[in-house]
Amino acid sequence: LIHGRWNFMRMSKAVLFFFYKNAALVSTMMLYSVKCLHSGTTLYDSWVLSVFNFVGASLPVVFMAVFDRDLSRDYVMRNPEVYQSGPRKEYMSLRTFIRWVVICVVHVFTVYYFSAPPMQLGGGVTSAYKGLMGNFSSRRVVGDGEGGGIKIFGTTIFGNLVYVVTLKALLETRSIINGEFPTFTCKKGKGEGWPSRMGYTWVGVSWFSVLFYIWFLYMYQLIGRSGPSSFFPFVFVTEHLLNMRSITWFLSILAPTIAIIFDVTGKVYSNIFYPTQSQIHAEIEAQERKKNK
């Protein structure tokens, strides 16, 4: 019964989240299509777009759908009324669906309009080939005119979307698994094995989402240098994007931060004025733990 309640909560959030992230991806492309007069120009590179279902918070959501818990096992056993969350449709209802749709729209407009306008009208053009972050030439030789091309323009927005979706997955996780260090121990019969000691939440958010995305961009560029192929158009894009353009890193902090502020504000307002039964029980359990310390 306990695992059934947990699994219903996990699957409900996983289903809503996968609809949310795919809708967010398509919506940013629709906003760009309006700007380019529906000419069919793609905002994102095809190979970069293909990894979204992996780095776009997919693995953090998988970990959430496997390990997340809103209430502890002991508390659920002592308070069987928490099982009413299923019949009351706390996790999958029209109200919940509308909240996800609203926050998706807010995130899409925030990511796009806090990323695209600053890179327009020369905002994304570097002063020279080496760029503002790496102009180490003693001669200060003017570069090859590198600027804000469609590859860099689209990949910057795509990266900010990946960061927002990953942070959203972290916010929706009710029980963050920090794990233990070291992850494994060679002492026989002492401690738990690595499956119980790994910090799945942070592994999913960092290694399998953000860091993998950055690693992929560098590998994509490296493969493109090997010769003419479908990877060739991305040559030097990552180098210009991450190594030479300070505006890329500025926007990667600005846009996700503002988007998450909207999300956190909505969650705080909802929890204070319209709490669900499970949220009330979570606060009661937190108070009990505080008293027992």
Side-chain angles (χ1 to χ4, degrees):
L1 290 177
I2 295 175
H3 288 282
R5 183 184 176 278
W6 285 339
N7 288 334
F8 180 75
M9 175 200 67
R10 296 164 180 170
M11 291 300 102
S12 298
K13 289 197 293 186
V15 169
L16 290 169
F17 197 94
F18 278 111
F19 276 110
Y20 153 81
K21 75 182 188 67
N22 289 322
L25 175 66
V26 174
S27 298
T28 54
M29 299 169 69
M30 292 175 61
L31 289 177
Y32 177 73
S33 68
V34 175
K35 294 294 183 180
C36 65
L37 302 178
H38 304 283
S39 62
T41 304
T42 57
L43 175 61
Y44 304 131
D45 180 85
S46 58
W47 282 103
V48 173
L49 183 63
S50 66
V51 303
F52 182 76
N53 282 328
F54 182 81
V55 303
S58 293
L59 283 180
V61 175
V62 170
F63 288 152
M64 178 183 67
V66 174
F67 301 108
D68 198 20
R69 303 175 180 179
D70 58 343
L71 298 170
S72 66
R73 185 195 311 268
D74 295 335
Y75 187 87
V76 173
M77 292 292 291
R78 289 186 285 107
N79 300 271
E81 62 270 17
V82 298
Y83 287 99
Q84 295 180 3
S85 59
R88 289 182 177 179
K89 300 180 181 180
E90 289 185 9
Y91 303 112
M92 186 69 74
S93 64
L94 180 61
R95 171 193 170 188
T96 305
F97 178 76
I98 292 176
R99 288 173 60 183
W100 277 84
V101 171
V102 170
I103 199 62
C104 178
V105 173
V106 171
H107 283 177
V108 167
F109 277 88
T110 303
V111 169
Y112 186 84
Y113 285 106
F114 278 90
S115 300
M119 293 187 291
Q120 296 174 356
L121 301 177
V125 181
T126 54
S127 59
Y129 176 80
K130 289 294 184 181
L132 297 175
M133 294 175 58
N135 196 357
F136 304 119
S137 174
S138 58
R139 295 183 177 181
R140 302 292 179 184
V141 179
V142 178
D144 61 355
E146 183 273 326
I150 184 62
K151 296 289 185 183
I152 291 179
F153 180 82
T155 307
T156 301
I157 298 176
F158 183 87
N160 292 342
L161 182 63
V162 169
Y163 304 146
V164 170
V165 172
T166 303
L167 291 173
K168 176 64 174 174
L170 187 62
L171 286 176
E172 293 300 324
T173 303
R174 300 297 296 272
S175 55
I176 295 178
I177 303 176
N178 294 316
E180 297 182 24
F181 184 83
T183 308
F184 62 91
T185 175
C186 297
K187 296 180 180 179
K188 189 176 181 179
K190 282 194 174 184
E192 298 177 333
W194 68 266
S196 299
R197 297 171 65 91
M198 183 178 292
Y200 289 99
T201 302
W202 302 110
V203 169
V205 168
S206 59
W207 292 102
F208 289 140
S209 188
V210 175
L211 294 180
F212 178 84
Y213 167 67
I214 296 175
W215 174 83
F216 167 79
L217 292 181
Y218 280 105
M219 289 300 102
Y220 186 9
Q221 172 184 263
L222 186 62
I223 296 174
R225 291 180 179 180
S226 60
S229 65
S230 59
F231 300 96
F232 191 71
F234 212 77
V235 173
F236 288 116
V237 171
T238 306
E239 187 172 348
H240 291 156
L241 179 71
L242 301 180
N243 296 1
M244 302 180 182
R245 292 161 50 88
S246 55
I247 192 173
T248 300
W249 296 102
F250 175 76
L251 295 178
S252 67
I253 297 174
L254 178 65
T257 301
I258 296 176
I260 294 303
I261 287 176
F262 284 118
D263 199 343
V264 172
T265 302
K267 285 183 177 297
V268 171
Y269 179 84
S270 176
N271 292 347
I272 292 177
F273 297 102
Y274 302 98
T276 62
Q277 183 196 50
S278 298
Q279 291 167 347
I280 295 174
H281 280 286
E283 293 183 10
I284 295 174
E285 184 184 13
Q287 292 296 326
E288 289 182 357
R289 289 182 178 180
K290 187 176 180 180
K291 291 180 180 178
N292 294 331
K293 285 185 177 180

